[in-house]
Amino acid sequence: MLVQVLHPPRPRASTNIESKWNRVAFHHCEFAKVWNPTGDLGNIGRYHCSPDDLHLLGTALATGTSKISLVESPEILECLTRAPKVEIEMLHLQQTLLTTLDCERLSGLVQRCGSLKHLELDLCDLEEPQILVESIGNAIHLQDLLLTRGYSDANASTRLSQDAHDMVMRLLHNPQNRLQKLSLLGLGLADHHLMSIVDRLPTSRIEVFD
């Protein structure tokens, strides 16, 4: 049923414009798990999906919505990253823990989704955030980038701040980047990292920096 709701309707003949859902949010979503016929059929029959179901869901999300917000829903992100074609404009991830493989999938999505304009990430949720340094750094289509850092120990904080700095500097050094808003909330950037970013702002398109 969810796939049928999300699936974009046919374009109207008079305008030839496809309608999309403006925004779809998933909170603590656990239904998108692969069906295991050898498991507990009582629970699996109610809460688990077949691989075909997940493929259809990912495709519907990727082409039928403009903005996607995920809170503690890594399985939904996996569905989205597996879609052959992704046309979303915004992706917001919060408290969605991503494994190394998930980070690789997200990196691929950021690279190939040229329509993605707004990206929000908590770097503490990423097992290997450095995997995203190159993909975000090359994502010249991004207009709004928000990177945050939840709770982490001192060593992790230093590493995450370095990763965030590398992502941003790589993007700002590309003259084709379209970034207009940059938010680095709670990252605790070292002074020299912050200054190197600030030095690039006058020659960038950034209108808002916080």
Side-chain angles (χ1 to χ4, degrees):
M1 179 178 178
L2 179 60
V3 172
Q4 293 175 339
V5 170
L6 291 172
H7 192 72
R10 294 178 180 274
R12 291 173 291 181
S14 59
T15 63
N16 200 34
I17 297 176
E18 290 189 351
S19 299
K20 287 187 176 184
W21 288 96
N22 181 54
R23 182 168 187 152
V24 175
F26 292 87
H27 292 255
H28 314 288
C29 182
E30 296 183 351
F31 74 85
K33 296 179 182 295
V34 175
W35 178 63
N36 178 5
T38 63
D40 180 359
L41 295 179
N43 289 329
I44 288 173
R46 293 181 60 188
Y47 300 114
H48 289 55
C49 303
S50 71
D52 287 343
D53 292 334
L54 298 182
H55 173 74
L56 290 173
L57 174 60
T59 300
L61 284 172
T63 59
T65 60
S66 295
K67 304 172 184 177
I68 297 179
S69 178
L70 304 180
V71 179
E72 293 190 28
S73 303
E75 290 87 2
I76 298 296
L77 179 63
E78 181 179 349
C79 291
L80 181 65
T81 58
R82 289 179 177 272
K85 184 178 182 181
V86 183
E87 300 175 336
I88 63 173
E89 295 180 7
M90 187 205 82
L91 181 61
H92 172 208
L93 302 180
Q94 181 180 356
Q95 297 176 12
T96 297
L97 302 179
L98 303 185
T99 65
T100 298
L101 181 57
D102 292 330
C103 291
E104 292 174 351
R105 289 170 175 160
L106 177 59
S107 177
L109 183 148
V110 171
Q111 286 182 329
R112 65 190 175 93
C113 183
S115 61
L116 185 64
K117 299 177 182 177
H118 311 278
L119 179 63
E120 300 181 23
L121 292 175
D122 186 333
L123 298 183
C124 280
D125 293 338
L126 310 181
E127 187 173 88
E128 296 291 345
Q130 61 269 27
I131 290 175
L132 289 155
V133 169
E134 182 174 355
S135 57
I136 291 180
N138 291 331
I140 59 174
H141 45 275
L142 288 178
Q143 297 180 11
D144 184 352
L145 177 62
L146 189 153
L147 302 175
T148 62
R149 188 196 72 202
Y151 173 79
S152 60
D153 58 36
N155 291 333
S157 296
T158 300
R159 179 174 58 84
L160 292 176
S161 296
Q162 180 69 56
D163 291 335
H165 170 266
D166 293 347
M167 291 177 191
V168 172
M169 289 302 293
R170 187 182 184 104
L171 186 56
L172 292 180
H173 273 94
N174 191 323
Q176 295 181 305
N177 87 81
R178 304 170 195 169
L179 201 62
Q180 298 176 8
K181 182 178 180 180
L182 176 62
S183 298
L184 305 174
L185 302 177
L187 286 178
L189 292 174
D191 289 345
H192 64 284
H193 284 160
L194 180 60
M195 290 307 301
S196 64
I197 293 174
V198 170
D199 286 345
R200 299 294 304 181
L201 297 183
T203 58
S204 72
R205 294 182 174 88
I206 292 179
E207 299 173 357
V208 178
F209 174 60
D210 56 22

